[in-house]
Amino acid sequence: MKTWISSAFLSFIILCSTGCLARPYDPQKVEQVLNTAHALYKDTNAGTNADYIPALAKVDSSLFAIAIVTADGQVFTQGDIDATFSIQSISKVFTLALAMEQQGSAAIVDKIGVNATGLPFNSVAAIELNQDRSVNPLVNAGAMATVSLLEGDKAQQKWQSIATWYDQFAGRELAVMNEVYQSESATNGHNLAIAELLKSYDRFYGDVDMNLDIYTRQCSVGVTTKDLAMMASVLANGGTHPVTGEALMTAENVQRVLAVMATAGLYETSGDWAFQVGLPAKSGVGGGIIAVMPGKFAIAAFSPKLDEAGNSVRAQRAIDYIADKANANVFSHLD
C-alpha cells in the first residue's frame, strides 16, 4: 500500500510530523493531515462504482470526503462532507452491536459465528464450505441472520429498533434513501437465495421475506461521512457517545465488535488491511469505510469507486495515509 503515496508524496510539503493525532490533539495539525490526504488522492481514478445495484452506479464518482471524530468529541472534516450516500455493509457493524447488546456475545458465536470466510461478501460457497454455515456477521449471509436474531416479531417493531439505534450512534435522525432501497429490493434475488439456504440449515431465525426486507432497508440508510465518523467514534470511546455522552454499548461488546471488524471488515482483503494499516475497519459498497483507533479516534472516508473486493479505493488510501501519520495501529505499542 505504501506505493500508493510514493510519487504523490514528493509533490506535497507534509505539514504534520509523525504522531500528529496523538493527544492532546492540535486542531491545526489534524486539519493539515486531512487536507493532505484529500489532496493526495482526490484525483485517483482507479476502481468503478458498484453497478449491480443501479442506484449506486449513478452516484457521482468524483465525490470524496474524509472525517475524524476523536474519543473526546472533536470533529474534523475535509472534502464533499455534505454528500449523502447509502451506508450499505457498514450497517452490519451497528446491527451486530445491537444484537450483542440484546442477545449477548455468546449468542452471536453460537448462532452466527465470528470466523472470517476469506471469500467475497455475497458468497454462497462460503456457506456450503463451512460447517457453521453463516459464519460471520459482516458478510451478507451472517448479516441477514443477525437481523433475524434481533428482538421483535413484527417488521415495524424490529425496524424501529434498528433505526433508533443508528440515530443514537449518529447523534441525529437518519433516513432511508428510497431510491436505493427500491433499487436493492428489485435486485436482491441473490440475497434471497442465501437467506433461504441458511433457513434450510436452521441458521436463519425468523421469516425470510420480512428479515430480508429489513436488511435491505438498513443497507439503504443515508449517511454523510461525518455521520459515519460519529457513529464509529462510539466504538473508539468504549461504547459511550463522545458528543451526546450516552452509554450505548458495554466495553466488552465494543471489544468483540472491533475484533470481528479487524478480521473480516474488508472482506477477502481484510488480512492485507490488518497487515498494512492495523486498524479495525468496515467498508460498504456505497463507497464508505470506517476505521477505529480504540481510545483515540474514528476515521471515516467516502468515495464511490471500488476495488474488486468492494472497498473504496480513495477511502482506503486516505485512511492508510492518516493512520500512518498518526502512528495508529492496534498491533503497535506506540502512543
Side-chain angles (χ1 to χ4, degrees):
M1 288 187 188
K2 293 308 179 204
T3 56
W4 290 344
I5 68 170
S6 57
S7 60
F9 182 86
L10 297 176
S11 302
F12 289 87
I13 298 174
I14 303 305
L15 299 173
C16 178
S17 62
T18 301
C20 66
L21 292 183
R23 282 182 168 178
Y25 302 105
D26 181 333
Q28 184 177 6
K29 288 184 177 180
V30 178
E31 289 169 1
Q32 287 169 348
V33 80
L34 257 66
N35 292 347
T36 302
H38 189 271
L40 283 168
Y41 305 116
K42 64 183 177 64
D43 295 324
T44 297
N45 288 315
T48 57
N49 285 34
D51 56 7
Y52 58 91
I53 300 172
L56 300 188
K58 297 191 298 182
V59 177
D60 182 356
S61 63
S62 70
L63 293 171
F64 181 31
I66 313 168
I68 291 175
V69 178
T70 67
D72 58 3
Q74 296 180 72
V75 180
F76 304 92
T77 62
Q78 178 57 244
D80 300 304
I81 208 66
D82 294 324
T84 299
F85 54 96
S86 55
I87 191 171
Q88 296 297 329
S89 285
I90 300 173
S91 66
K92 297 169 182 175
V93 169
F94 302 101
T95 299
L96 169 61
L98 178 57
M100 275 195 186
E101 290 296 313
Q102 288 183 352
Q103 309 284 342
S105 60
I108 302 301
V109 174
D110 293 342
K111 295 186 176 183
I112 307 296
V114 292
N115 282 320
T117 68
L119 294 170
F121 62 87
N122 59 353
S123 173
V124 174
I127 301 171
E128 296 288 14
L129 291 173
N130 289 279
Q131 189 172 1
D132 289 337
R133 307 307 177 187
S134 48
V135 178
N136 192 284
L138 298 188
V139 298
N140 288 12
M144 289 186 287
T146 301
V147 170
S148 75
L149 261 186
L150 295 175
E151 295 174 357
D153 295 327
K154 298 195 179 296
Q156 185 56 33
Q157 178 187 8
K158 185 172 286 194
W159 171 248
Q160 193 56 54
S161 69
I162 292 175
T164 299
W165 185 247
Y166 287 13
D167 292 350
Q168 288 174 297
F169 275 79
R172 73 178 187 95
E173 187 173 342
L174 303 175
V176 172
M177 300 179 74
N178 191 57
E179 181 183 3
V180 176
Y181 171 57
Q182 296 298 331
S183 184
E184 291 204 46
S185 296
T187 56
N188 67 357
H190 191 79
N191 279 341
L192 175 60
I194 289 173
E196 291 286 5
L197 181 60
L198 289 176
K199 188 77 170 179
S200 74
Y201 285 122
D202 296 321
R203 297 288 282 185
F204 201 90
Y205 309 102
D207 180 78
V208 166
D209 290 337
M210 180 186 80
N211 286 287
L212 174 59
D213 179 71
I214 292 169
Y215 169 76
T216 304
R217 209 182 314 179
Q218 80 170 36
C219 291
S220 305
V221 168
V223 291
T224 65
T225 309
K226 178 183 173 182
D227 289 330
L228 284 184
M230 192 69 73
M231 295 172 81
S233 72
V234 177
L235 302 174
N237 196 40
T240 297
H241 198 293
V243 175
T244 69
E246 187 173 8
L248 297 173
M249 297 177 64
T250 67
E252 179 184 4
N253 281 343
V254 170
Q255 174 185 331
R256 296 188 184 285
V257 168
L258 290 175
V260 179
M261 290 171 63
T263 56
L266 271 73
Y267 307 119
E268 64 266 37
T269 62
S270 297
D272 293 329
W273 177 267
F275 185 87
Q276 174 62 37
V277 183
L279 291 180
K282 184 70 193 83
S283 64
V285 296
I289 299 179
I290 58 172
V292 177
M293 183 61 182
K296 294 188 176 181
F297 55 84
I299 312 171
F302 158 67
S303 197
K305 285 191 172 183
L306 314 177
D307 63 17
E308 291 183 358
N311 307 314
S312 171
V313 175
R314 286 188 187 124
Q316 287 181 85
R317 298 181 183 185
I319 293 172
D320 180 26
Y321 175 83
I322 294 167
D324 180 60
K325 292 299 162 190
N327 283 334
N329 188 318
V330 298
F331 305 112
S332 171
H333 68 279
L334 296 176
D335 292 331

